[in-house]
Amino acid sequence: MRQRLRDPITGLLFVLPMLVLFLIFRIFPTLGAAGMSLTDWKISGEWSFVGADNYARLLDDPNFLASLRVTLVYVAVYVPLVVLAALGTALLLNAVVFMRGLFRGMLFLPYVTSFVLAGVVWKWIYEYNGLLNGLLAKADVAPVKFLEESSLVLPALALVSAWKGFGYSMLILLAGLKSIPGSYLEAARVDGANAWQRFRRIVLPLLRPALFFVLVIETITAFQTFDTIYVMTGGGPAKASYTLIYGIYDQGFKFFDFGYAATLGIVLFALVLVVSLIQRRLLDRGER
């Protein structure tokens, strides 16, 4: 019995420091936020129990309903964009033989830059007299107000976030591509399968675990996007980029309504969980 328990106990000791940090900085704050959402918590530390009043307040809050719609639209635009960019660049890097490390570093470079710095640079690019409109003017195209049009602001912000964040997912997918045995692809090539058939029948099924990880990570990232929006639009124009996470910031750090801010955070947590489970179910169905 002692010999049988030695390996699990040894493994537990190795992961214990990270497990303790995870409990302190992830689980306990989440439980604390769930409890705070049932209270009217003031900045002074005084609080009173209000039960489900904060959740009932959500249904009558037009800002919440609008921010929920904006968040879902942003996620629907950002996630396919960043996953396709990561998958495309991973496939290209997997095929490159010459100077592969240099190309990998160049494509990963935006990921290590600051969100604030990226937002400032891209805000200048998107401005009415900025770089992008300057290029459009040379092509005799009228200037476009990318950050001042309600219909354009979310795609513009999603493009910036995708440019900034696709490098991490690219490396995950590239590692997944490297794990696929070359003999599978060579056998398919000998059997006459073209590039699309090899990708669809061999690469994509074997890449599904890495793809699921990327989808979940990027979905969570999309729901939590704040820095870019704060720097570039401040939730405007006319709250066209006012997301749930921005609403949490306003309620908590502008109006100091911590109970209601915690309620929005719990709703955001539940929304991310549901979307992740749906993604998992869809990918599991594709494996059958």
Side-chain angles (χ1 to χ4, degrees):
M1 179 63 68
R2 184 181 303 172
Q3 182 69 27
R4 187 177 301 174
L5 292 176
R6 180 179 300 173
D7 290 341
I9 292 176
T10 302
L12 180 61
L13 290 176
F14 274 107
V15 302
L16 187 60
M18 184 55 66
L19 181 61
V20 171
L21 291 176
F22 186 80
L23 288 173
I24 293 175
F25 293 103
R26 295 287 185 176
I27 301 300
F28 292 159
T30 301
L31 296 177
M36 187 179 290
S37 69
L38 303 176
T39 66
D40 180 16
W41 198 292
K42 304 298 184 182
I43 190 173
S44 61
E46 300 178 356
W47 61 275
S48 59
F49 183 77
V50 297
D53 289 354
N54 285 328
Y55 292 93
R57 177 180 166 187
L58 291 174
L59 301 178
D60 297 326
D61 186 355
N63 288 329
F64 164 71
L65 299 177
S67 64
L68 178 61
R69 180 188 62 81
V70 169
T71 301
L72 293 177
V73 172
Y74 180 83
V75 171
V77 175
Y78 169 80
V79 174
L81 183 62
V82 70
V83 171
L84 289 176
L87 181 59
T89 51
L91 290 171
L92 290 175
L93 285 177
N94 193 48
V96 169
V97 178
F98 180 67
M99 300 180 67
R100 180 184 300 168
L102 176 62
F103 291 127
R104 186 184 305 173
M106 291 173 60
L107 291 171
F108 187 74
L109 186 60
Y111 182 78
V112 298
T113 59
S114 166
F115 266 109
V116 175
L117 178 61
V120 170
V121 172
W122 276 91
K123 185 177 181 180
W124 168 72
I125 293 174
Y126 280 142
E127 282 180 349
Y128 191 79
N129 296 320
L131 177 62
L132 187 54
N133 276 320
L135 295 175
L136 292 176
K138 291 183 178 181
D140 293 329
V141 178
V144 180
K145 298 180 179 180
F146 293 99
L147 300 180
E148 299 175 20
E149 294 287 343
S150 299
S151 60
L152 296 177
V153 63
L154 287 182
L157 292 172
L159 180 61
V160 176
S161 297
W163 171 84
K164 169 71 175 64
F166 82 95
Y168 177 77
S169 296
M170 175 194 69
L171 292 183
I172 298 298
L173 294 176
L174 182 60
L177 290 172
K178 294 296 183 184
S179 67
I180 298 175
S183 57
Y184 292 179
L185 299 174
E186 186 61 30
R189 188 180 293 108
V190 171
D191 289 339
N194 57 35
W196 169 248
Q197 290 172 333
R198 293 195 300 270
F199 173 76
R200 182 183 177 187
R201 300 296 184 182
I202 298 177
V203 174
L204 198 57
L206 295 177
L207 196 62
R208 187 170 280 114
L211 194 59
F212 169 71
F213 177 79
V214 166
L215 279 173
V216 172
I217 292 299
E218 295 297 351
T219 300
I220 295 173
T221 300
F223 276 108
Q224 294 181 340
T225 298
F226 174 77
D227 310 65
T228 306
I229 297 174
Y230 181 82
V231 171
M232 297 183 67
T233 65
K239 293 194 173 182
S241 60
Y242 192 85
T243 58
L244 273 176
I245 198 74
Y246 210 98
I248 294 173
Y249 166 77
D250 274 355
Q251 294 296 329
F253 296 99
K254 280 189 176 181
F255 309 127
F256 303 111
D257 192 350
F258 296 115
Y260 192 56
T263 304
L264 292 174
I266 295 300
V267 170
L268 181 62
F269 170 78
L271 191 59
V272 172
L273 179 61
V274 170
V275 172
S276 300
L277 292 176
I278 292 174
Q279 290 174 335
R280 179 63 182 173
R281 177 62 62 88
L282 292 177
L283 286 175
D284 284 344
R285 185 178 299 174
E287 292 179 353
R288 297 171 185 170

